[in-house]
Amino acid sequence: KGVEALRRRGCHIAATYQGRSEAEALELAREVADTLINRYRERQICAVHAVFNLFRSAVTQEVTVNRLLPLAV
């Protein structure tokens, strides 16, 4: 649902990672990290942000944005 909502808003989706099992979590994390780092190094992207809902309670969720690249020094 989220991917389709972003596409309707005109966002370019370069890749999706859906339908993975919990057992594949580490492999998936490495795949995503390698892809993002390589695209950043090749200057295909200028920044990487993680955007997610931080679950506080059943009635409260907080949208959270963390910059991953470039690293803050």
Side-chain angles (χ1 to χ4, degrees), residues 1-72:
K1 291 181 180 181
V3 171
E4 289 308 316
L6 290 171
R7 283 192 177 128
R8 281 193 300 273
R9 292 183 178 149
C11 295
H12 171 72
I13 308 297
T16 62
Y17 301 91
Q18 300 173 350
R20 302 288 181 107
S21 71
E22 192 172 322
E24 297 173 311
L26 183 57
E27 178 184 332
L28 175 60
R30 285 186 179 133
E31 180 182 337
V32 171
D34 288 346
T35 299
L36 292 173
I37 290 168
N38 287 336
R39 292 187 69 191
Y40 181 77
R41 283 182 180 156
E42 294 170 5
R43 299 181 190 265
Q44 294 175 1
I45 56 176
C46 61
V48 176
H49 293 83
V51 181
F52 55 94
N53 281 336
L54 184 59
F55 183 83
R56 297 281 186 195
S57 71
V59 293
T60 306
Q61 295 183 34
E62 180 180 319
V63 175
T64 304
V65 179
N66 290 337
R67 186 179 76 183
L68 305 176
L69 289 174
L71 296 174

